[in-house]
Amino acid sequence: MSASKKFAAVTGAGSGIGRATAIALAAAGFTVALIGRREEPLLETRETISVAGGEAHVSGADVTNESSVESAFSRIAERFGRLDVLFNNAGRNAGAVPLDDYTLDFWNDVVATNLTGVFLCARAAWRLMKQQTPQGGRIINNGSISAHSPRPNTIAYTATKHAVTGITRSLALDGRPYNIACSQIDIGNAATPLTERMTLGVLQADGSMAPEARIDVTHVANAIVQMASLPLEANVLNMTIMATAMPFVGRG
């Protein structure tokens, strides 16, 4: 195996930011493991990468399930022999739900995907990066601008994204002895099917409904490739990439 060969894993690689990032990483020379629950979208991502001359492999997993995650990363270790980058991307949107309408099941589902899933995948990647030779690697967590400022009626989503920041900082600290870097990218309004509703109008902090600007998802993917391509002696701890005109900085 070539010492210059780089290997990456992307969770939630079947659509949206995950798919765009997997494609961009492959174009940058990474061999990519595509992780997700549904095989068909992952195969579509792999086909797009293959047509462009890149290399990708499907490694299905439910990020909320411990044994499923462990199996996926065991397959990565067997196939690649090492892992240089994990883009810890899989998550779910929770919509706007008033607190008194929350059910415990809804809360637990959001936490399982957006927080426990991030932990399980980070732990699996960490174990592989720690034991491989040469030691080390990079974990990039997908946060959100909701890790800094909430949207109305999004307590579960906001809580999990704040917690992802805690995971990122803890791993960045704990990874020092093992040459493991950890980063977080906070994304505001990437143009994917999940944000299509924003073009029609979404709830604002003042109670009004207003459309919001979005950015092409390839800009996000390219930013992640830039983070992933740094030598391990350098780290972008936090990056915010967002639509310039979205209502995040300032008040309404």
Side-chain angles (χ1 to χ4, degrees), residues 145 151 189 195 197-204 210-214 243 245-247:
I145 60 170
R151 289 184 178 276
N189 292 4
T195 62
R197 62 189 176 85
M198 293 181 178
T199 63
L200 304 176
V202 289
L203 184 62
Q204 303 297 308
E212 294 189 9
R214 302 188 301 163
M246 69 174 298

Side-chain angles (χ1 to χ4, degrees), residues 18-213:
R19 172 176 284 179
T21 301
I23 292 168
L25 285 167
F30 286 84
T31 299
V32 186
L34 309 172
I35 300 175
R37 287 184 298 177
R38 296 182 297 134
E39 184 178 41
E40 185 175 350
L42 296 177
L43 291 173
E44 292 173 359
T45 302
R46 186 182 70 179
E47 177 64 18
T48 300
I49 289 171
S50 297
V51 167
E55 183 178 357
H57 302 273
V58 171
S59 188
D62 177 356
V63 300
T64 69
N65 183 285
E66 182 178 22
S67 62
S68 181
V69 170
E70 292 299 318
S71 294
F73 280 84
S74 292
R75 291 191 295 272
I76 289 170
E78 291 170 5
R79 183 182 293 273
F80 296 167
R82 65 177 292 107
L83 182 64
D84 297 290
V85 174
L86 166 66
F87 179 39
N88 214 354
N89 165 70
R92 59 155 293 176
N93 199 346
V97 180
L99 180 58
D100 48 355
D101 291 338
Y102 264 69
T103 66
L104 182 59
D105 285 344
F106 181 75
W107 169 272
N108 286 339
D109 187 56
V110 176
V111 170
T113 303
N114 289 0
L115 183 56
T116 303
V118 170
F119 158 73
L120 289 174
C121 292
R123 186 182 66 174
W126 181 279
R127 288 171 172 169
L128 180 53
M129 292 172 178
K130 186 177 175 181
Q131 71 183 17
Q132 65 196 12
T133 304
Q135 190 181 60
R138 187 181 304 276
I139 297 169
I140 303 172
N141 292 324
N142 187 349
S144 169
I145 60 170
S146 289
H148 306 277
S149 181
R151 289 184 178 276
N153 297 326
T154 59
I155 187 172
Y157 185 82
T158 301
T160 58
K161 293 304 183 178
H162 275 68
V164 168
T165 300
I167 288 176
T168 299
R169 293 179 179 178
S170 290
L171 296 185
L173 173 61
D174 297 341
R176 291 175 184 173
Y178 312 111
N179 209 25
I180 298 173
C182 189
S183 311
Q184 181 167 318
I185 185 163
D186 298 318
I187 302 163
N189 292 4
T192 70
L194 284 177
T195 62
E196 187 68 34
R197 62 189 176 85
M198 293 181 178
T199 63
L200 304 176
V202 289
L203 184 62
Q204 303 297 308
D206 63 1
S208 66
M209 298 290 290
E212 294 189 9

